[in-house]
């Protein structure tokens, strides 16, 4: 555990007037269908096969500066989004992204192409072929009509690493070969590489024809999978811990709060040189085959950097629902966290940045609520803390009892 001096008070609360309840929109922004946020339009790009060439990354950085506010997010589904895009600039931005091969045929195809790809694939292991075939299958006119957040995981590196990443249909490498399964179900289908995408699409069609409510896992207990998906899931090989630093695939660099400037993305693109960037769902970017990382603001290059232990949503002023500047709070409190502790800081009860239970701080119209273990919507253990007391209260809680 880090020893820490008494934390300073800080002026975390930034909104002058009460903020209304956030709405759950039930869909994710795309490039062709952007979403309005407090700082302008959010334009989300889904990198094909989870990878950006150096030229694509440099192009995105230039376009983010020209048409947006120059801030770029890495999302929990390994997408890249430009912030603060001006409405009048959107068409020109899309033309620019299309020139780099980053735009789908239409908004429906873009919404369906919701695929997370393991960043730890190796040349020749079939991952890129499967990911490209999955994208192609979802682009066909007869692809099933799926809910807006329905997604696929192609987790076919040496070991699966995406089990904590949201997905409804998973293509995984197990100890006995490739396996396709519906999220939450204990059975699935053993497949060859050629059979993987047809099997995933068969599951998607089954889901689309089912009486459904929400995501795939909500069907567990009420629906039986088709006969072809009744093979018990083989044991999955233990997931290795990945961490910031060099590894067998290149250099894994952290992105503070999953957000960087256009200049930082340009620096990463230069470093990727003739290789590419693999976007991960963990607020990290893998620079393929790199032996070093550039010096650039917002990059985390040490595995023990306390900012890796804090998850914070956009907060104020970027999000109109936020009552606190979440990232100022995060920077102030991160050094006081024990090394094994994750802190989620949410600008409101929606909890966009971390839907799972954790030690959580939530901005409210009355101050900051503290939740020992829960989501941003859970009942608070301490309510309406002030900017002066939140750090002291958090530290008292952390040191008083195991949470
Ligand atoms: S959780 Fe954060 S980003 Fe999401 S709506 Fe609330 S304030 Fe905005």
């Amino acid at each position: 555990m880090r020893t820490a001096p008494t934390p300073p008070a800080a002026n975390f609360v930034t909104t002058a007037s009460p903020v209304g309840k956030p709405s759950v929109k039930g869909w994710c922004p795309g490039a062709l269908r952007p979403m309005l946020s407090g700082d302008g339009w959010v334009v989300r790009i889904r990198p094909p096969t989870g990878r950006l060439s150096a030229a694509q990354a440099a192009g995105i950085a230039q376009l983010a500066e020209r048409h947006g506010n120059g801030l770029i997010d890495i999302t929990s589904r390994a997408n890249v989004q430009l912030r603060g895009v001006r409405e009048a600039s959107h068409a020109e931005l899309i033309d620019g992204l299309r020139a780099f091969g980053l735009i789908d045929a239409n908004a429906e195809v873009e919404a369906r192409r919701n695929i997370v790809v393991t960043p730890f694939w190796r040349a020749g292991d079939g991952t890129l072929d499967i990911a490209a075939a999955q994208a192609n299958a979802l682009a066909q006119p007869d692809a099933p009509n799926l809910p807006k957040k329905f997604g696929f995981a192609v987790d076919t590196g040496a070991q699966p690493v995406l089990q904590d990443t949201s997905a409804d249909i998973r293509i995984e490498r197990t100890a006995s070969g490739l396996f396709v399964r519906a999220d939450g179900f204990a059975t699935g289908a053993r497949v060859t590489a050629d059979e993987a995408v047809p099997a995933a699409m068969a599951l998607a069609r089954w889901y689309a024809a089912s009486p459904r409510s929400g995501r795939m896992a909500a069907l567990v207990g009420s629906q039986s999978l088709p006969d072809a998906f009744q093979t018990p899931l083989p044991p999955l090989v233990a997931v290795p811990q990945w961490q910031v630093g060099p590894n067998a695939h290149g250099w894994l660099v952290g992105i503070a709060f999953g957000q960087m400037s256009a200049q930082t993305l340009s620096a990463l693109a230069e470093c990727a040189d003739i290789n590419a960037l693999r976007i991960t769902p963990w607020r990290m970017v893998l620079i393929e085959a790199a032996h070093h990382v550039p010096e650039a603001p917002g990059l985390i290059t040490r595995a023990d950097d306390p900012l890796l232990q804090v998850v914070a949503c956009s907060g104020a002023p970027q999000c109109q629902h936020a009552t606190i500047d979440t990232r100022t709070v995060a920077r102030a409190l991160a050094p006081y966290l024990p090394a094994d502790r994750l802190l989620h800081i949410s600008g409101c009860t929606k909890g966009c940045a971390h839907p799972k239970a954790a030690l959580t701080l939530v901005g409210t119209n009355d101050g900051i609520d503290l939740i020992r273990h829960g989501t941003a919507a859970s009942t608070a253990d301490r309510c309406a803390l002030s900017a002066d007391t939140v750090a002291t209260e958090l530290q008292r809680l952390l040191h008083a009892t195991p949470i």
Side-chain angles (χ1 to χ4, degrees):
M1 182 181 295
R2 297 184 184 98
T3 55
T6 304
N11 183 18
F12 298 146
V13 181
T14 59
T15 51
S17 53
V19 172
K21 274 195 162 187
S23 56
V24 177
K25 295 191 169 61
W27 57 281
C28 298
L32 296 172
R33 193 180 178 217
M35 184 182 279
L36 189 60
S37 188
D39 58 347
W41 291 91
V42 173
V43 170
R44 184 174 293 181
I45 301 161
R46 298 183 167 165
T49 67
R51 191 172 183 236
L52 293 174
S53 69
Q56 286 173 324
I60 290 172
Q62 282 176 8
L63 291 166
E65 280 199 315
R66 195 177 310 151
H67 302 293
N69 63 12
L71 292 177
I72 297 161
D73 294 331
I74 302 294
T75 77
S76 61
R77 289 195 58 80
N79 294 317
V80 174
Q81 63 189 22
L82 278 53
R83 302 201 67 95
V85 173
R86 294 172 291 283
E87 191 168 352
S89 256
H90 182 247
E92 205 181 320
L93 169 62
I94 294 300
D95 287 345
L97 292 172
R98 188 175 282 117
F100 286 106
L102 294 168
I103 295 298
D104 291 283
N106 55 54
E108 288 69 36
V109 170
E110 175 183 83
R112 277 200 299 269
R113 190 172 61 81
N114 196 4
I115 307 166
V116 184
V117 182
T118 173
F120 298 140
W121 52 267
R122 288 179 185 278
D125 72 2
T127 297
L128 292 189
D129 290 341
I130 291 171
Q134 185 64 65
N136 184 49
L138 292 168
Q140 298 309 308
D142 64 346
N145 185 19
L146 298 168
K148 296 290 183 262
K149 294 197 171 189
F150 196 95
F152 297 76
V154 177
D155 201 2
T156 51
Q159 296 166 319
V161 293
L162 298 177
Q163 286 164 54
D164 287 336
T165 299
S166 173
D168 296 273
I169 295 176
R170 298 177 184 276
I171 304 173
E172 293 167 327
R173 190 178 304 282
T174 71
S176 51
L178 296 179
F179 203 81
V180 175
R181 67 183 175 100
D183 189 52
F185 286 82
T187 63
R190 271 204 188 86
V191 294
T192 64
D194 288 342
E195 293 166 343
V197 171
M201 292 303 290
L203 266 184
R205 289 197 171 84
W206 170 79
Y207 175 86
S210 302
R212 50 195 157 106
S213 60
R215 305 289 295 272
M216 178 69 89
L219 298 186
V220 175
S222 67
Q223 301 290 313
S224 292
L225 290 169
D227 290 348
F229 295 90
Q230 295 295 343
T231 303
L233 176 65
L236 295 172
V237 180
V239 177
Q241 286 294 314
W242 58 86
Q243 62 178 19
V244 162
N247 61 39
H249 306 273
W251 229 101
L252 193 60
V253 62
I255 310 295
F257 309 124
Q259 187 172 83
M260 62 184 146
S261 66
Q263 293 93 326
T264 294
L265 182 57
S266 288
L268 286 174
E270 275 176 32
C271 193
D273 196 11
I274 56 169
N275 295 303
L277 302 177
R278 301 183 193 176
I279 311 301
T280 85
W282 315 305
R283 295 174 292 147
M284 297 178 185
V285 171
L286 178 76
I287 313 170
E288 283 181 10
H291 300 294
H292 72 284
V293 282
E295 291 282 330
L299 295 186
I300 298 175
T301 56
R302 278 186 16 234
D304 63 351
D305 190 316
L307 283 185
L308 290 168
Q309 291 172 242
V310 193
V311 181
C313 70
S314 301
Q318 290 180 26
C319 177
Q320 62 216 12
H321 299 297
T323 56
I324 56 173
D325 177 351
T326 49
R327 290 170 184 175
T328 297
V329 179
R331 286 187 192 282
L333 298 184
Y336 304 101
L337 290 170
D340 59 348
R341 196 101 225 135
L342 182 79
L343 174 64
H344 172 206
I345 303 174
S346 187
C348 75
T349 54
K350 194 171 171 187
C352 298
H354 192 74
K356 295 179 185 165
L359 173 61
T360 301
L361 295 176
V362 186
T364 73
N365 285 324
D366 301 319
I368 299 176
D369 286 359
L370 189 158
I371 298 158
R372 287 162 60 103
H373 186 74
T375 68
S378 299
T379 304
D381 294 285
R382 308 272 196 286
C383 289
L385 297 170
S386 70
D388 290 342
T389 57
V390 65
T392 309
E393 194 67 22
L394 178 69
Q395 202 175 22
R396 198 163 66 82
L397 199 80
L398 283 167
H399 292 281
T401 50
I403 295 177

